[in-house]
PDB file of all heavy atoms in Angstrom:
ATOM      1  N   MET M   1      13.395  -0.587   0.782  1.00 98.00           N
ATOM      2  CA  MET M   1      13.238   0.612   1.577  1.00 98.00           C
ATOM      3  C   MET M   1      12.104   1.447   1.060  1.00 98.00           C
ATOM      4  O   MET M   1      12.142   1.979  -0.028  1.00 98.00           O
ATOM      5  CB  MET M   1      14.534   1.448   1.554  1.00 98.00           C
ATOM      6  CG  MET M   1      14.425   2.729   2.335  1.00 98.00           C
ATOM      7  SD  MET M   1      14.395   2.516   4.130  1.00 98.00           S
ATOM      8  CE  MET M   1      16.094   2.047   4.430  1.00 98.00           C
ATOM      9  N   TYR M   2      11.030   1.536   1.838  1.00 98.00           N
ATOM     10  CA  TYR M   2       9.860   2.316   1.512  1.00 98.00           C
ATOM     11  C   TYR M   2      10.006   3.685   2.281  1.00 98.00           C
ATOM     12  O   TYR M   2      10.332   3.658   3.464  1.00 98.00           O
ATOM     13  CB  TYR M   2       8.620   1.670   1.931  1.00 98.00           C
ATOM     14  CG  TYR M   2       8.328   0.372   1.225  1.00 98.00           C
ATOM     15  CD1 TYR M   2       8.820  -0.845   1.715  1.00 98.00           C
ATOM     16  CD2 TYR M   2       7.538   0.309   0.070  1.00 98.00           C
ATOM     17  CE1 TYR M   2       8.612  -2.053   1.048  1.00 98.00           C
ATOM     18  CE2 TYR M   2       7.292  -0.904  -0.574  1.00 98.00           C
ATOM     19  CZ  TYR M   2       7.835  -2.084  -0.064  1.00 98.00           C
ATOM     20  OH  TYR M   2       7.605  -3.251  -0.697  1.00 98.00           O
ATOM     21  N   SER M   3       9.643   4.762   1.619  1.00 98.00           N
ATOM     22  CA  SER M   3       9.739   6.041   2.298  1.00 98.00           C
ATOM     23  C   SER M   3       8.771   7.015   1.709  1.00 98.00           C
ATOM     24  O   SER M   3       8.314   6.879   0.583  1.00 98.00           O
ATOM     25  CB  SER M   3      11.141   6.634   2.212  1.00 98.00           C
ATOM     26  OG  SER M   3      11.529   6.891   0.838  1.00 98.00           O
ATOM     27  N   ALA M   4       8.383   8.042   2.525  1.00 98.00           N
ATOM     28  CA  ALA M   4       7.447   9.038   2.028  1.00 98.00           C
ATOM     29  C   ALA M   4       7.583  10.285   2.898  1.00 98.00           C
ATOM     30  O   ALA M   4       7.966  10.237   4.060  1.00 98.00           O
ATOM     31  CB  ALA M   4       6.013   8.543   2.052  1.00 98.00           C
ATOM     32  N   GLU M   5       7.285  11.412   2.238  1.00 96.00           N
ATOM     33  CA  GLU M   5       7.272  12.687   2.919  1.00 96.00           C
ATOM     34  C   GLU M   5       6.017  13.411   2.440  1.00 96.00           C
ATOM     35  O   GLU M   5       5.631  13.361   1.295  1.00 96.00           O
ATOM     36  CB  GLU M   5       8.512  13.523   2.574  1.00 96.00           C
ATOM     37  CG  GLU M   5       8.552  14.868   3.189  1.00 96.00           C
ATOM     38  CD  GLU M   5       9.857  15.615   2.856  1.00 96.00           C
ATOM     39  OE1 GLU M   5      10.718  14.989   2.209  1.00 96.00           O
ATOM     40  OE2 GLU M   5       9.910  16.807   3.134  1.00 96.00           O
ATOM     41  N   ASP M   6       5.315  14.084   3.384  1.00 94.00           N
ATOM     42  CA  ASP M   6       4.052  14.712   3.110  1.00 94.00           C
ATOM     43  C   ASP M   6       4.129  15.652   1.922  1.00 94.00           C
ATOM     44  O   ASP M   6       4.981  16.522   1.817  1.00 94.00           O
ATOM     45  CB  ASP M   6       3.662  15.578   4.331  1.00 94.00           C
ATOM     46  CG  ASP M   6       2.176  15.925   4.336  1.00 94.00           C
ATOM     47  OD1 ASP M   6       1.375  15.241   3.674  1.00 94.00           O
ATOM     48  OD2 ASP M   6       1.816  16.930   4.991  1.00 94.00           O
ATOM     49  N   GLY M   7       3.294  15.327   0.879  1.00 95.00           N
ATOM     50  CA  GLY M   7       3.237  16.134  -0.310  1.00 95.00           C
ATOM     51  C   GLY M   7       4.238  15.852  -1.359  1.00 95.00           C
ATOM     52  O   GLY M   7       4.291  16.454  -2.418  1.00 95.00           O
ATOM     53  N   LYS M   8       5.151  14.823  -1.102  1.00 96.00           N
ATOM     54  CA  LYS M   8       6.212  14.543  -2.077  1.00 96.00           C
ATOM     55  C   LYS M   8       6.174  13.126  -2.657  1.00 96.00           C
ATOM     56  O   LYS M   8       7.097  12.717  -3.287  1.00 96.00           O
ATOM     57  CB  LYS M   8       7.583  14.804  -1.408  1.00 96.00           C
ATOM     58  CG  LYS M   8       7.792  16.264  -1.028  1.00 96.00           C
ATOM     59  CD  LYS M   8       9.197  16.535  -0.534  1.00 96.00           C
ATOM     60  CE  LYS M   8       9.405  17.983  -0.229  1.00 96.00           C
ATOM     61  NZ  LYS M   8      10.788  18.281   0.250  1.00 96.00           N
ATOM     62  N   GLY M   9       5.140  12.385  -2.344  1.00 97.00           N
ATOM     63  CA  GLY M   9       4.988  11.079  -2.902  1.00 97.00           C
ATOM     64  C   GLY M   9       5.699  10.022  -2.127  1.00 97.00           C
ATOM     65  O   GLY M   9       6.349  10.294  -1.107  1.00 97.00           O
ATOM     66  N   ALA M  10       5.566   8.758  -2.574  1.00 98.00           N
ATOM     67  CA  ALA M  10       6.142   7.610  -1.890  1.00 98.00           C
ATOM     68  C   ALA M  10       7.139   6.931  -2.799  1.00 98.00           C
ATOM     69  O   ALA M  10       6.985   6.919  -4.017  1.00 98.00           O
ATOM     70  CB  ALA M  10       5.020   6.625  -1.500  1.00 98.00           C
ATOM     71  N   LEU M  11       8.151   6.349  -2.185  1.00 98.00           N
ATOM     72  CA  LEU M  11       9.244   5.725  -2.938  1.00 98.00           C
ATOM     73  C   LEU M  11       9.515   4.308  -2.442  1.00 98.00           C
ATOM     74  O   LEU M  11       9.318   3.992  -1.253  1.00 98.00           O
ATOM     75  CB  LEU M  11      10.509   6.531  -2.790  1.00 98.00           C
ATOM     76  CG  LEU M  11      10.499   8.037  -3.134  1.00 98.00           C
ATOM     77  CD1 LEU M  11      11.832   8.661  -2.794  1.00 98.00           C
ATOM     78  CD2 LEU M  11      10.236   8.148  -4.658  1.00 98.00           C
ATOM     79  N   LEU M  12       9.952   3.488  -3.355  1.00 98.00           N
ATOM     80  CA  LEU M  12      10.524   2.138  -2.997  1.00 98.00           C
ATOM     81  C   LEU M  12      11.903   2.084  -3.626  1.00 98.00           C
ATOM     82  O   LEU M  12      12.091   2.169  -4.831  1.00 98.00           O
ATOM     83  CB  LEU M  12       9.644   1.032  -3.565  1.00 98.00           C
ATOM     84  CG  LEU M  12      10.251  -0.386  -3.568  1.00 98.00           C
ATOM     85  CD1 LEU M  12      10.713  -0.786  -2.160  1.00 98.00           C
ATOM     86  CD2 LEU M  12       9.242  -1.409  -4.102  1.00 98.00           C
ATOM     87  N   ASN M  13      12.952   2.008  -2.741  1.00 98.00           N
ATOM     88  CA  ASN M  13      14.320   2.010  -3.192  1.00 98.00           C
ATOM     89  C   ASN M  13      14.597   3.206  -4.157  1.00 98.00           C
ATOM     90  O   ASN M  13      15.301   3.049  -5.116  1.00 98.00           O
ATOM     91  CB  ASN M  13      14.666   0.691  -3.854  1.00 98.00           C
ATOM     92  CG  ASN M  13      14.759  -0.435  -2.827  1.00 98.00           C
ATOM     93  OD1 ASN M  13      14.844  -0.220  -1.620  1.00 98.00           O
ATOM     94  ND2 ASN M  13      14.695  -1.666  -3.301  1.00 98.00           N
ATOM     95  N   GLY M  14      13.985   4.343  -3.817  1.00 97.00           N
ATOM     96  CA  GLY M  14      14.241   5.586  -4.546  1.00 97.00           C
ATOM     97  C   GLY M  14      13.359   5.779  -5.785  1.00 97.00           C
ATOM     98  O   GLY M  14      13.408   6.868  -6.387  1.00 97.00           O
ATOM     99  N   SER M  15      12.553   4.813  -6.138  1.00 98.00           N
ATOM    100  CA  SER M  15      11.669   4.977  -7.300  1.00 98.00           C
ATOM    101  C   SER M  15      10.228   5.178  -6.859  1.00 98.00           C
ATOM    102  O   SER M  15       9.781   4.571  -5.885  1.00 98.00           O
ATOM    103  CB  SER M  15      11.714   3.734  -8.221  1.00 98.00           C
ATOM    104  OG  SER M  15      13.029   3.576  -8.719  1.00 98.00           O
ATOM    105  N   PRO M  16       9.449   6.036  -7.564  1.00 98.00           N
ATOM    106  CA  PRO M  16       8.066   6.323  -7.130  1.00 98.00           C
ATOM    107  C   PRO M  16       7.193   5.078  -7.185  1.00 98.00           C
ATOM    108  O   PRO M  16       7.385   4.247  -8.064  1.00 98.00           O
ATOM    109  CB  PRO M  16       7.614   7.360  -8.148  1.00 98.00           C
ATOM    110  CG  PRO M  16       8.876   8.006  -8.704  1.00 98.00           C
ATOM    111  CD  PRO M  16       9.871   6.896  -8.673  1.00 98.00           C
ATOM    112  N   ILE M  17       6.310   4.965  -6.230  1.00 98.00           N
ATOM    113  CA  ILE M  17       5.291   3.885  -6.247  1.00 98.00           C
ATOM    114  C   ILE M  17       3.913   4.470  -6.120  1.00 98.00           C
ATOM    115  O   ILE M  17       3.719   5.614  -5.626  1.00 98.00           O
ATOM    116  CB  ILE M  17       5.550   2.910  -5.090  1.00 98.00           C
ATOM    117  CG1 ILE M  17       5.585   3.580  -3.745  1.00 98.00           C
ATOM    118  CG2 ILE M  17       6.778   2.057  -5.371  1.00 98.00           C
ATOM    119  CD1 ILE M  17       5.683   2.599  -2.535  1.00 98.00           C
ATOM    120  N   HIS M  18       2.937   3.751  -6.569  1.00 98.00           N
ATOM    121  CA  HIS M  18       1.562   4.179  -6.566  1.00 98.00           C
ATOM    122  C   HIS M  18       0.669   2.955  -6.259  1.00 98.00           C
ATOM    123  O   HIS M  18       0.975   1.841  -6.590  1.00 98.00           O
ATOM    124  CB  HIS M  18       1.155   4.776  -7.936  1.00 98.00           C
ATOM    125  CG  HIS M  18       2.010   5.917  -8.350  1.00 98.00           C
ATOM    126  ND1 HIS M  18       1.842   7.182  -7.833  1.00 98.00           N
ATOM    127  CD2 HIS M  18       3.062   5.940  -9.235  1.00 98.00           C
ATOM    128  CE1 HIS M  18       2.780   8.003  -8.404  1.00 98.00           C
ATOM    129  NE2 HIS M  18       3.558   7.254  -9.244  1.00 98.00           N
ATOM    130  N   THR M  19      -0.440   3.289  -5.660  1.00 98.00           N
ATOM    131  CA  THR M  19      -1.420   2.214  -5.398  1.00 98.00           C
ATOM    132  C   THR M  19      -2.069   1.733  -6.695  1.00 98.00           C
ATOM    133  O   THR M  19      -1.920   2.377  -7.752  1.00 98.00           O
ATOM    134  CB  THR M  19      -2.540   2.763  -4.478  1.00 98.00           C
ATOM    135  OG1 THR M  19      -3.198   3.882  -5.123  1.00 98.00           O
ATOM    136  CG2 THR M  19      -1.981   3.183  -3.131  1.00 98.00           C
ATOM    137  N   SER M  20      -2.760   0.612  -6.616  1.00 98.00           N
ATOM    138  CA  SER M  20      -3.553   0.121  -7.766  1.00 98.00           C
ATOM    139  C   SER M  20      -4.717   1.077  -7.970  1.00 98.00           C
ATOM    140  O   SER M  20      -4.955   2.050  -7.192  1.00 98.00           O
ATOM    141  CB  SER M  20      -4.048  -1.249  -7.525  1.00 98.00           C
ATOM    142  OG  SER M  20      -5.142  -1.244  -6.565  1.00 98.00           O
ATOM    143  N   GLU M  21      -5.487   0.831  -9.013  1.00 98.00           N
ATOM    144  CA  GLU M  21      -6.639   1.685  -9.349  1.00 98.00           C
ATOM    145  C   GLU M  21      -7.949   0.900  -8.973  1.00 98.00           C
ATOM    146  O   GLU M  21      -9.021   1.334  -9.436  1.00 98.00           O
ATOM    147  CB  GLU M  21      -6.649   2.017 -10.812  1.00 98.00           C
ATOM    148  CG  GLU M  21      -5.445   2.887 -11.218  1.00 98.00           C
ATOM    149  CD  GLU M  21      -5.459   3.247 -12.688  1.00 98.00           C
ATOM    150  OE1 GLU M  21      -6.337   2.754 -13.445  1.00 98.00           O
ATOM    151  OE2 GLU M  21      -4.565   4.016 -13.115  1.00 98.00           O
ATOM    152  N   GLN M  22      -7.839  -0.095  -8.122  1.00 98.00           N
ATOM    153  CA  GLN M  22      -9.023  -0.858  -7.736  1.00 98.00           C
ATOM    154  C   GLN M  22     -10.034  -0.026  -6.976  1.00 98.00           C
ATOM    155  O   GLN M  22      -9.686   0.595  -6.008  1.00 98.00           O
ATOM    156  CB  GLN M  22      -8.582  -2.069  -6.883  1.00 98.00           C
ATOM    157  CG  GLN M  22      -9.702  -3.025  -6.516  1.00 98.00           C
ATOM    158  CD  GLN M  22     -10.133  -3.905  -7.645  1.00 98.00           C
ATOM    159  OE1 GLN M  22      -9.384  -4.119  -8.603  1.00 98.00           O
ATOM    160  NE2 GLN M  22     -11.334  -4.418  -7.560  1.00 98.00           N
ATOM    161  N   THR M  23     -11.257  -0.007  -7.481  1.00 98.00           N
ATOM    162  CA  THR M  23     -12.295   0.821  -6.831  1.00 98.00           C
ATOM    163  C   THR M  23     -13.417  -0.024  -6.235  1.00 98.00           C
ATOM    164  O   THR M  23     -14.238   0.487  -5.459  1.00 98.00           O
ATOM    165  CB  THR M  23     -12.896   1.765  -7.862  1.00 98.00           C
ATOM    166  OG1 THR M  23     -13.507   1.026  -8.923  1.00 98.00           O
ATOM    167  CG2 THR M  23     -11.906   2.734  -8.389  1.00 98.00           C
ATOM    168  N   SER M  24     -13.451  -1.345  -6.515  1.00 97.00           N
ATOM    169  CA  SER M  24     -14.524  -2.151  -6.027  1.00 97.00           C
ATOM    170  C   SER M  24     -13.992  -3.285  -5.184  1.00 97.00           C
ATOM    171  O   SER M  24     -12.902  -3.837  -5.438  1.00 97.00           O
ATOM    172  CB  SER M  24     -15.303  -2.741  -7.220  1.00 97.00           C
ATOM    173  OG  SER M  24     -16.246  -3.729  -6.815  1.00 97.00           O
ATOM    174  N   LEU M  25     -14.776  -3.694  -4.174  1.00 97.00           N
ATOM    175  CA  LEU M  25     -14.415  -4.857  -3.365  1.00 97.00           C
ATOM    176  C   LEU M  25     -14.357  -6.109  -4.211  1.00 97.00           C
ATOM    177  O   LEU M  25     -13.531  -6.984  -3.975  1.00 97.00           O
ATOM    178  CB  LEU M  25     -15.399  -5.002  -2.186  1.00 97.00           C
ATOM    179  CG  LEU M  25     -15.082  -6.050  -1.160  1.00 97.00           C
ATOM    180  CD1 LEU M  25     -13.741  -5.769  -0.502  1.00 97.00           C
ATOM    181  CD2 LEU M  25     -16.181  -6.143  -0.137  1.00 97.00           C
ATOM    182  N   GLU M  26     -15.268  -6.205  -5.182  1.00 97.00           N
ATOM    183  CA  GLU M  26     -15.273  -7.362  -6.070  1.00 97.00           C
ATOM    184  C   GLU M  26     -13.947  -7.450  -6.831  1.00 97.00           C
ATOM    185  O   GLU M  26     -13.552  -6.483  -7.519  1.00 97.00           O
ATOM    186  CB  GLU M  26     -16.432  -7.276  -7.042  1.00 97.00           C
ATOM    187  CG  GLU M  26     -16.550  -8.502  -7.964  1.00 97.00           C
ATOM    188  CD  GLU M  26     -17.737  -8.395  -8.917  1.00 97.00           C
ATOM    189  OE1 GLU M  26     -18.424  -7.377  -8.855  1.00 97.00           O
ATOM    190  OE2 GLU M  26     -17.927  -9.356  -9.696  1.00 97.00           O
ATOM    191  N   GLY M  27     -13.241  -8.551  -6.654  1.00 97.00           N
ATOM    192  CA  GLY M  27     -11.971  -8.723  -7.309  1.00 97.00           C
ATOM    193  C   GLY M  27     -10.781  -8.152  -6.602  1.00 97.00           C
ATOM    194  O   GLY M  27      -9.646  -8.342  -7.036  1.00 97.00           O
ATOM    195  N   ALA M  28     -11.022  -7.472  -5.481  1.00 98.00           N
ATOM    196  CA  ALA M  28      -9.897  -6.821  -4.739  1.00 98.00           C
ATOM    197  C   ALA M  28      -9.028  -7.903  -4.006  1.00 98.00           C
ATOM    198  O   ALA M  28      -9.579  -8.847  -3.428  1.00 98.00           O
ATOM    199  CB  ALA M  28     -10.434  -5.836  -3.745  1.00 98.00           C
ATOM    200  N   PHE M  29      -7.759  -7.701  -4.027  1.00 98.00           N
ATOM    201  CA  PHE M  29      -6.798  -8.571  -3.373  1.00 98.00           C
ATOM    202  C   PHE M  29      -6.345  -7.870  -2.128  1.00 98.00           C
ATOM    203  O   PHE M  29      -5.710  -6.822  -2.178  1.00 98.00           O
ATOM    204  CB  PHE M  29      -5.623  -8.886  -4.302  1.00 98.00           C
ATOM    205  CG  PHE M  29      -4.660  -9.892  -3.780  1.00 98.00           C
ATOM    206  CD1 PHE M  29      -5.074 -11.089  -3.262  1.00 98.00           C
ATOM    207  CD2 PHE M  29      -3.285  -9.650  -3.830  1.00 98.00           C
ATOM    208  CE1 PHE M  29      -4.189 -12.033  -2.788  1.00 98.00           C
ATOM    209  CE2 PHE M  29      -2.360 -10.598  -3.397  1.00 98.00           C
ATOM    210  CZ  PHE M  29      -2.842 -11.784  -2.837  1.00 98.00           C
ATOM    211  N   LEU M  30      -6.703  -8.417  -0.939  1.00 98.00           N
ATOM    212  CA  LEU M  30      -6.576  -7.701   0.297  1.00 98.00           C
ATOM    213  C   LEU M  30      -5.660  -8.408   1.311  1.00 98.00           C
ATOM    214  O   LEU M  30      -5.417  -9.589   1.222  1.00 98.00           O
ATOM    215  CB  LEU M  30      -7.934  -7.540   0.917  1.00 98.00           C
ATOM    216  CG  LEU M  30      -9.031  -6.872   0.012  1.00 98.00           C
ATOM    217  CD1 LEU M  30     -10.380  -6.968   0.656  1.00 98.00           C
ATOM    218  CD2 LEU M  30      -8.647  -5.393  -0.238  1.00 98.00           C
ATOM    219  N   ALA M  31      -5.261  -7.675   2.272  1.00 98.00           N
ATOM    220  CA  ALA M  31      -4.487  -8.181   3.422  1.00 98.00           C
ATOM    221  C   ALA M  31      -5.177  -7.831   4.709  1.00 98.00           C
ATOM    222  O   ALA M  31      -5.919  -6.855   4.808  1.00 98.00           O
ATOM    223  CB  ALA M  31      -3.061  -7.617   3.425  1.00 98.00           C
ATOM    224  N   THR M  32      -4.937  -8.597   5.724  1.00 97.00           N
ATOM    225  CA  THR M  32      -5.517  -8.361   7.069  1.00 97.00           C
ATOM    226  C   THR M  32      -4.587  -8.873   8.129  1.00 97.00           C
ATOM    227  O   THR M  32      -3.592  -9.524   7.880  1.00 97.00           O
ATOM    228  CB  THR M  32      -6.902  -9.003   7.184  1.00 97.00           C
ATOM    229  OG1 THR M  32      -7.555  -8.568   8.387  1.00 97.00           O
ATOM    230  CG2 THR M  32      -6.775 -10.538   7.194  1.00 97.00           C
ATOM    231  N   GLY M  33      -4.962  -8.543   9.372  1.00 94.00           N
ATOM    232  CA  GLY M  33      -4.246  -9.031  10.550  1.00 94.00           C
ATOM    233  C   GLY M  33      -5.256  -9.426  11.570  1.00 94.00           C
ATOM    234  O   GLY M  33      -6.218  -8.718  11.800  1.00 94.00           O
ATOM    235  N   PHE M  34      -5.064 -10.549  12.216  1.00 89.00           N
ATOM    236  CA  PHE M  34      -6.001 -11.022  13.270  1.00 89.00           C
ATOM    237  C   PHE M  34      -5.796 -10.205  14.551  1.00 89.00           C
ATOM    238  O   PHE M  34      -4.625  -9.840  14.879  1.00 89.00           O
ATOM    239  CB  PHE M  34      -5.799 -12.467  13.545  1.00 89.00           C
ATOM    240  CG  PHE M  34      -5.847 -13.356  12.337  1.00 89.00           C
ATOM    241  CD1 PHE M  34      -4.922 -14.411  12.183  1.00 89.00           C
ATOM    242  CD2 PHE M  34      -6.804 -13.162  11.337  1.00 89.00           C
ATOM    243  CE1 PHE M  34      -5.001 -15.183  11.077  1.00 89.00           C
ATOM    244  CE2 PHE M  34      -6.843 -13.991  10.240  1.00 89.00           C
ATOM    245  CZ  PHE M  34      -5.918 -15.003  10.074  1.00 89.00           C
ATOM    246  N   PRO M  35      -6.854  -9.947  15.343  1.00 84.00           N
ATOM    247  CA  PRO M  35      -6.713  -9.250  16.596  1.00 84.00           C
ATOM    248  C   PRO M  35      -6.185 -10.147  17.685  1.00 84.00           C
ATOM    249  O   PRO M  35      -6.873 -10.434  18.695  1.00 84.00           O
ATOM    250  CB  PRO M  35      -8.120  -8.774  16.889  1.00 84.00           C
ATOM    251  CG  PRO M  35      -9.001  -9.796  16.230  1.00 84.00           C
ATOM    252  CD  PRO M  35      -8.235 -10.230  15.014  1.00 84.00           C
ATOM    253  N   PHE M  36      -4.949 -10.694  17.484  1.00 74.00           N
ATOM    254  CA  PHE M  36      -4.457 -11.746  18.355  1.00 74.00           C
ATOM    255  C   PHE M  36      -4.120 -11.281  19.776  1.00 74.00           C
ATOM    256  O   PHE M  36      -3.952 -12.070  20.687  1.00 74.00           O
ATOM    257  CB  PHE M  36      -3.248 -12.438  17.733  1.00 74.00           C
ATOM    258  CG  PHE M  36      -2.041 -11.515  17.497  1.00 74.00           C
ATOM    259  CD1 PHE M  36      -1.036 -11.460  18.436  1.00 74.00           C
ATOM    260  CD2 PHE M  36      -1.923 -10.763  16.345  1.00 74.00           C
ATOM    261  CE1 PHE M  36       0.050 -10.642  18.262  1.00 74.00           C
ATOM    262  CE2 PHE M  36      -0.866  -9.975  16.145  1.00 74.00           C
ATOM    263  CZ  PHE M  36       0.152  -9.895  17.084  1.00 74.00           C
ATOM    264  N   LYS M  37      -4.010  -9.966  19.946  1.00 72.00           N
ATOM    265  CA  LYS M  37      -3.789  -9.417  21.324  1.00 72.00           C
ATOM    266  C   LYS M  37      -5.043  -8.991  22.012  1.00 72.00           C
ATOM    267  O   LYS M  37      -5.061  -8.601  23.117  1.00 72.00           O
ATOM    268  CB  LYS M  37      -2.793  -8.235  21.220  1.00 72.00           C
ATOM    269  CG  LYS M  37      -1.422  -8.596  20.678  1.00 72.00           C
ATOM    270  CD  LYS M  37      -0.552  -7.333  20.571  1.00 72.00           C
ATOM    271  CE  LYS M  37       0.764  -7.626  19.890  1.00 72.00           C
ATOM    272  NZ  LYS M  37       1.602  -6.433  19.748  1.00 72.00           N
TER     273      LYS M  37
END
């Protein structure tokens, strides 16, 4: 269960989560979706 409220952070099953610190495209692990529609 992921949840968030403006200004109060994001949670996964009630525990805080944070993004990675990746700043460069080099080495970045990414996701995408095809424009299948």
